[in-house]
């Protein structure tokens, strides 16, 4: 039976300032999707509210707008997947081996307090499944608690988009909070690469996190390796 991956994408299309659009960072989804497809995994997309997931305009420019992202946008069937994402109440977590939170600054708004996503994440984690995120996707793990009331990320090694990278991307004045500091305040052992924007992924047991858009492929490969090491 093939492994099953649940990808999480945003429903938000703008920052607090509506003149600044945001959304899903497309290549973070497409790189992971291609890795999991090559491994023969089945894949589903969910969002906090269900329905459409807008694309981050910055992700549709060089250098991150690469072959995989262009191929996705050129495929009506793939684009339809982002127009009709599932909502959390439509998802049976028992059907999935891993949950993968994608990024884009938009997720800072709708991932952290989604009770539906928290439920799915908690159930997958406590069943021994893989919880994964890339870039700002780790905002989806900020407030997820386990059945004993503890935070999932507390005491665990985690990476995600660094504040230094926000500054270099010139969005530090637009983002609603400092995600790196928010993660540290939850007791997570935050790590980052020596240089900004290079691929960096961290594995701590069943938790796999990637730092930035360039880390999506590496993060997915590490998730796939963990899943394939398990007996059928």
């Amino acid at each position: 039976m093939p492994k099953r991956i649940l990808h999480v994408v945003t429903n938000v299309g703008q920052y607090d300032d509506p003149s600044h659009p945001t959304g899903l960072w497309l290549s973070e989804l497409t790189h992971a999707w291609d890795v999991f497809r090559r491994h023969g995994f089945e894949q589903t997309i969910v969002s906090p509210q269900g329905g459409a997931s807008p694309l981050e305009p910055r992700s549709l420019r060089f250098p991150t707008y690469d072959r995989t992202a262009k191929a996705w946008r050129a495929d009506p069937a793939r684009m339809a997947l982002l127009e009709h994402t599932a909502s959390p109440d439509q998802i049976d977590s028992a059907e999935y081996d891993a949950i993968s939170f994608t990024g884009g600054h938009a997720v800072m708004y709708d991932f952290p307090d989604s009770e539906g996503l928290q439920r799915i994440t908690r159930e997958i984690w406590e069943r021994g499944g893989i919880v994964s995120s890339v870039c700002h996707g780790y905002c989806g793990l900020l407030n997820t608690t386990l059945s004993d009331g503890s935070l999932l990320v507390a005491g665990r090694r985690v990476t995600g988009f660094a504040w230094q990278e926000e500054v270099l991307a010139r969005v530090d004045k637009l983002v609603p909070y400092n995600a790196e500091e928010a993660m540290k305040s939850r007791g997570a052992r935050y790590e980052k690469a020596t240089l900004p924007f290079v691929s960096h992924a961290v594995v701590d047991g069943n938790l796999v996190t990637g730092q930035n858009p360039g880390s999506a492929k590496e993060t997915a490969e590490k998730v796939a390796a963990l899943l394939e090491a398990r007996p059928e």
Side-chain angles (χ1 to χ4, degrees):
M1 184 175 177
K3 304 296 186 184
R4 299 194 68 191
I5 310 291
L6 183 63
H7 295 274
V8 189
V9 299
T10 186
N11 299 118
V12 173
Q14 64 186 42
Y15 288 91
D16 289 320
D17 181 345
S19 67
H20 291 278
T22 182
L24 163 68
W25 199 278
L26 184 58
S27 65
E28 293 176 17
L29 173 64
T30 62
H31 286 187
W33 190 280
D34 279 9
V35 168
F36 295 142
R37 178 182 51 79
R38 288 197 300 272
H39 285 270
F41 299 166
E42 295 181 0
Q43 304 180 72
T44 302
I45 303 178
V46 68
S47 63
Q49 300 297 323
S53 180
L55 300 181
E56 161 66 63
R58 284 184 173 216
S59 75
L60 306 180
R61 301 202 299 255
F62 180 84
T64 58
Y65 192 45
D66 62 0
R67 177 185 54 80
T68 66
K70 289 176 181 176
W72 187 289
R73 280 192 86 200
D75 185 339
R78 291 281 177 89
M79 288 300 291
L81 295 177
L82 293 178
E83 286 296 319
H84 306 285
T85 66
S87 61
D89 60 4
Q90 295 175 302
I91 297 297
D92 179 358
S93 66
E95 296 180 353
Y96 295 92
D97 300 283
I99 185 169
S100 174
F101 287 83
T102 61
H105 288 91
V107 310
M108 299 180 77
Y109 295 95
D110 62 347
F111 276 14
D113 296 318
S114 170
E115 294 182 1
L117 294 180
Q118 291 172 14
R119 170 189 62 80
I120 294 167
T121 304
R122 177 170 53 253
E123 291 171 356
I124 289 175
W125 177 267
E126 293 184 341
R127 203 180 62 251
I130 307 298
V131 172
S132 176
S133 69
V134 66
C135 200
H136 289 89
Y138 72 151
C139 294
L141 307 179
L142 285 172
N143 300 326
T144 298
T145 56
L146 305 179
S147 294
D148 63 5
S150 64
L151 287 165
L152 187 154
V153 297
R156 294 189 169 89
R157 296 171 57 225
V158 172
T159 191
F161 208 62
W163 184 250
Q164 179 190 21
E165 291 170 320
E166 303 281 23
V167 173
L168 292 172
R170 299 179 179 177
V171 291
D172 52 304
K173 302 294 193 297
L174 289 173
V175 294
Y177 51 89
N178 182 327
E180 176 185 331
E181 286 304 317
M183 185 56 75
K184 291 175 180 177
S185 75
R186 268 69 169 179
R189 295 157 57 197
Y190 177 83
E191 303 177 11
K192 64 181 178 182
T194 304
L195 297 174
F197 301 116
V198 299
S199 181
H200 181 64
V202 172
V203 178
D204 188 337
N206 290 341
L207 181 63
V208 184
T209 51
Q211 183 174 329
N212 46 41
S215 309
K217 182 178 179 180
E218 179 184 356
T219 304
E221 290 285 12
K222 290 182 183 300
V223 171
L226 287 174
L227 290 175
E228 293 194 329
R230 299 180 172 193
E232 291 294 331

